[in-house]
Coordinates of all heavy atoms in Angstrom, one line a residue:
R8 N 130.1 22.8 62.8 CA 129.1 21.7 62.5 C 129.9 20.5 61.9 O 130.8 20.7 61.1 CB 128.1 22.2 61.4 CG 127.1 23.2 61.9 CD 126.1 22.5 62.7 NE 125.0 23.4 63.1 CZ 125.0 24.1 64.2 NH1 125.9 24.0 65.1 NH2 123.9 24.9 64.5
H9 N 129.6 19.3 62.3 CA 130.1 18.1 61.8 C 129.3 17.6 60.6 O 128.0 17.6 60.7 CB 130.2 17.0 62.8 CG 131.2 17.3 63.9 ND1 132.5 17.0 63.8 CD2 131.0 17.9 65.2 CE1 133.2 17.4 64.9 NE2 132.3 17.9 65.7
R10 N 129.9 17.2 59.5 CA 129.1 16.6 58.4 C 130.0 15.6 57.7 O 131.0 16.0 57.1 CB 128.6 17.7 57.5 CG 127.8 17.2 56.3 CD 127.2 18.3 55.5 NE 126.5 17.8 54.4 CZ 125.3 17.3 54.4 NH1 124.7 17.2 55.5 NH2 124.7 16.8 53.3
H11 N 129.5 14.4 57.7 CA 130.2 13.3 56.9 C 131.7 13.3 57.1 O 132.4 13.2 56.2 CB 129.8 13.4 55.5 CG 128.4 13.3 55.2 ND1 127.6 12.2 55.5 CD2 127.5 14.2 54.6 CE1 126.3 12.4 55.2 NE2 126.2 13.6 54.6
G12 N 132.1 13.3 58.4 CA 133.6 13.2 58.6 C 134.4 14.4 58.4 O 135.6 14.3 58.5
L13 N 133.8 15.5 58.0 CA 134.5 16.8 57.8 C 134.1 17.8 58.8 O 132.9 17.8 59.2 CB 134.4 17.3 56.4 CG 135.0 16.4 55.3 CD1 134.6 16.9 53.9 CD2 136.5 16.3 55.5
L14 N 134.9 18.8 59.1 CA 134.6 19.8 60.0 C 134.4 21.1 59.2 O 135.3 21.5 58.5 CB 135.7 20.0 61.1 CG 135.4 20.8 62.3 CD1 134.3 20.1 63.1 CD2 136.6 21.0 63.2
L15 N 133.2 21.7 59.3 CA 133.0 23.0 58.6 C 133.3 24.2 59.6 O 132.6 24.3 60.6 CB 131.5 23.1 58.1 CG 131.1 21.9 57.3 CD1 129.7 22.2 56.8 CD2 132.0 21.7 56.1
V16 N 134.3 25.0 59.2 CA 134.6 26.1 60.1 C 134.1 27.4 59.3 O 134.6 27.7 58.3 CB 136.1 26.2 60.3 CG1 136.4 27.4 61.2 CG2 136.6 24.9 60.9
I17 N 133.1 28.0 59.9 CA 132.5 29.1 59.2 C 132.9 30.4 59.9 O 132.8 30.6 61.1 CB 130.9 29.1 59.3 CG1 130.5 27.7 58.7 CG2 130.3 30.2 58.6 CD1 129.0 27.5 58.6
L18 N 133.6 31.3 59.1 CA 134.1 32.5 59.7 C 133.2 33.7 59.4 O 132.7 33.9 58.2 CB 135.5 32.8 59.0 CG 136.5 31.7 59.1 CD1 137.8 32.2 58.5 CD2 136.8 31.4 60.6
Y19 N 132.9 34.5 60.4 CA 132.1 35.7 60.2 C 133.0 36.9 60.3 O 133.9 37.0 61.1 CB 130.9 35.7 61.2 CG 129.9 34.7 60.9 CD1 129.9 33.5 61.5 CD2 128.9 35.0 59.9 CE1 128.9 32.5 61.1 CE2 128.0 34.0 59.5 CZ 128.0 32.8 60.2 OH 127.0 31.9 59.8
L20 N 132.6 38.0 59.6 CA 133.4 39.2 59.5 C 132.8 40.3 60.3 O 131.6 40.5 60.4 CB 133.5 39.6 58.0 CG 134.1 38.5 57.2 CD1 133.9 38.8 55.7 CD2 135.6 38.4 57.4
F21 N 133.7 41.1 60.9 CA 133.3 42.2 61.7 C 134.1 43.4 61.3 O 135.2 43.3 60.7 CB 133.6 41.9 63.2 CG 132.8 40.8 63.8 CD1 133.1 39.5 63.6 CD2 131.7 41.0 64.6 CE1 132.4 38.4 64.1 CE2 130.9 40.0 65.1 CZ 131.3 38.7 64.9
A22 N 133.6 44.6 61.6 CA 134.3 45.8 61.2 C 134.1 46.9 62.3 O 133.1 46.9 63.0 CB 133.7 46.4 59.9
L23 N 135.2 47.7 62.4 CA 135.1 48.8 63.3 C 135.6 50.0 62.5 O 136.8 50.0 62.1 CB 136.0 48.6 64.6 CG 135.9 49.5 65.7 CD1 136.3 48.9 67.0 CD2 136.7 50.8 65.5
A24 N 134.8 51.1 62.4 CA 135.2 52.3 61.7 C 135.1 53.4 62.7 O 134.1 53.6 63.3 CB 134.3 52.5 60.5
A25 N 136.1 54.3 62.7 CA 136.2 55.4 63.7 C 136.7 56.6 63.1 O 137.7 56.7 62.5 CB 137.0 55.0 64.9
A26 N 135.9 57.7 63.2 CA 136.3 59.1 62.9 C 136.4 59.8 64.2 O 135.3 60.0 64.8 CB 135.3 59.8 61.9
V27 N 137.6 60.2 64.6 CA 137.8 60.5 66.0 C 138.1 61.9 66.4 O 138.4 62.2 67.5 CB 138.9 59.6 66.6 CG1 138.5 58.1 66.5 CG2 140.2 59.8 65.8
D28 N 137.9 62.8 65.5 CA 138.2 64.2 65.8 C 137.0 65.1 65.6 O 136.0 64.7 65.0 CB 139.4 64.8 65.0 CG 139.1 64.8 63.5 OD1 138.0 64.6 63.1 OD2 140.1 65.0 62.8
T29 N 137.0 66.3 66.2 CA 135.9 67.2 66.2 C 136.3 68.6 65.6 O 136.4 69.5 66.4 CB 135.2 67.4 67.6 OG1 136.3 67.8 68.5 CG2 134.6 66.1 68.0
H30 N 136.5 68.7 64.3 CA 136.9 69.9 63.7 C 135.7 70.3 62.8 O 135.5 69.8 61.8 CB 138.2 69.8 62.9 CG 139.4 69.9 63.7 ND1 140.1 71.1 63.9 CD2 140.1 68.9 64.4 CE1 141.2 70.8 64.6 NE2 141.2 69.6 65.0
P31 N 134.9 71.3 63.2 CA 133.8 71.7 62.4 C 134.1 72.2 61.0 O 133.3 72.2 60.2 CB 133.1 72.8 63.3 CG 134.2 73.3 64.2 CD 135.1 72.2 64.4
Q32 N 135.4 72.7 60.8 CA 135.8 73.2 59.5 C 136.2 72.1 58.6 O 136.5 72.3 57.4 CB 136.9 74.2 59.6 CG 138.3 73.6 60.0 CD 138.5 73.5 61.5 OE1 137.5 73.5 62.3 NE2 139.7 73.4 61.9
E33 N 136.1 70.8 59.0 CA 136.5 69.7 58.2 C 135.4 68.6 58.1 O 134.9 68.2 59.2 CB 137.8 69.0 58.7 CG 139.0 69.9 58.5 CD 140.3 69.1 58.4 OE1 140.3 68.0 57.9 OE2 141.3 69.5 59.0
D34 N 135.1 68.3 56.9 CA 134.1 67.2 56.7 C 134.7 65.9 56.3 O 134.1 64.9 56.4 CB 133.1 67.7 55.6 CG 131.9 66.9 55.4 OD1 131.5 66.3 56.3 OD2 131.4 66.8 54.2
A35 N 136.0 65.9 55.9 CA 136.6 64.8 55.3 C 136.7 63.6 56.1 O 136.4 62.5 55.7 CB 138.0 65.2 54.8
H36 N 137.0 63.7 57.4 CA 137.2 62.6 58.3 C 135.9 61.8 58.5 O 135.9 60.6 58.5 CB 137.8 63.0 59.6 CG 139.2 63.6 59.4 ND1 139.7 64.6 60.3 CD2 140.2 63.4 58.5 CE1 140.9 64.9 59.9 NE2 141.2 64.2 58.8
M37 N 134.8 62.5 58.7 CA 133.5 61.9 58.9 C 133.1 61.2 57.6 O 132.6 60.1 57.6 CB 132.5 62.9 59.3 CG 131.2 62.3 59.8 SD 130.2 63.5 60.7 CE 128.7 62.6 61.0
S38 N 133.4 61.9 56.4 CA 133.1 61.3 55.2 C 133.9 60.0 54.9 O 133.4 59.0 54.4 CB 133.3 62.3 54.0 OG 132.5 63.4 54.1
N39 N 135.1 60.0 55.4 CA 136.0 58.8 55.2 C 135.3 57.6 55.9 O 135.2 56.6 55.3 CB 137.3 59.1 55.9 CG 138.2 60.1 55.1 OD1 137.9 60.4 54.0 ND2 139.2 60.6 55.7
A40 N 135.0 57.8 57.2 CA 134.4 56.7 57.9 C 133.0 56.3 57.4 O 132.8 55.1 57.3 CB 134.3 57.1 59.4
L41 N 132.2 57.2 57.0 CA 130.9 56.9 56.5 C 131.0 56.2 55.1 O 130.2 55.3 54.8 CB 130.0 58.1 56.4 CG 129.5 58.6 57.8 CD1 128.8 60.0 57.6 CD2 128.6 57.6 58.5
S42 N 131.9 56.6 54.3 CA 132.1 56.0 53.0 C 132.6 54.5 53.2 O 132.1 53.6 52.5 CB 133.1 56.7 52.2 OG 132.7 58.1 51.9
M43 N 133.5 54.3 54.1 CA 133.9 52.9 54.4 C 132.8 52.1 55.0 O 132.6 50.9 54.6 CB 135.1 53.0 55.3 CG 136.0 51.8 55.2 SD 136.8 51.5 53.6 CE 138.0 52.9 53.6
Y44 N 132.0 52.7 55.8 CA 130.8 52.0 56.4 C 129.9 51.6 55.3 O 129.4 50.5 55.3 CB 130.2 53.0 57.4 CG 128.8 52.6 57.9 CD1 128.7 51.7 59.0 CD2 127.7 53.2 57.4 CE1 127.4 51.3 59.5 CE2 126.4 52.9 57.9 CZ 126.3 51.9 58.9 OH 125.1 51.6 59.4
R45 N 129.6 52.5 54.4 CA 128.7 52.2 53.3 C 129.2 51.0 52.4 O 128.5 50.1 52.0 CB 128.5 53.4 52.4 CG 127.7 53.1 51.1 CD 127.6 54.3 50.2 NE 127.1 54.0 48.9 CZ 127.8 53.6 47.9 NH1 129.1 53.4 48.0 NH2 127.2 53.3 46.7
T46 N 130.5 51.0 52.2 CA 131.1 50.0 51.4 C 131.0 48.6 52.0 O 130.6 47.6 51.3 CB 132.6 50.3 51.1 OG1 132.7 51.5 50.3 CG2 133.3 49.2 50.3
I47 N 131.4 48.5 53.3 CA 131.3 47.2 53.9 C 129.9 46.7 54.1 O 129.6 45.5 54.0 CB 132.1 47.2 55.3 CG1 131.5 48.2 56.2 CG2 133.5 47.4 55.1 CD1 132.2 48.2 57.6

Side-chain angles (χ1 to χ4, degrees):
R8 288 285 187 264
H9 291 277
R10 180 171 176 80
H11 299 300
L13 295 175
L14 195 65
L15 305 185
V16 182
I17 303 182
L18 304 181
Y19 287 97
L20 301 165
F21 296 78
L23 191 158
V27 296
D28 61 11
T29 54
H30 278 265
Q32 71 272 21
E33 289 203 40
D34 187 31
H36 298 148
M37 192 168 175
S38 298
N39 290 346
L41 287 174
S42 297
M43 203 64 68
Y44 169 80
R45 171 185 171 272
T46 296
I47 58 182

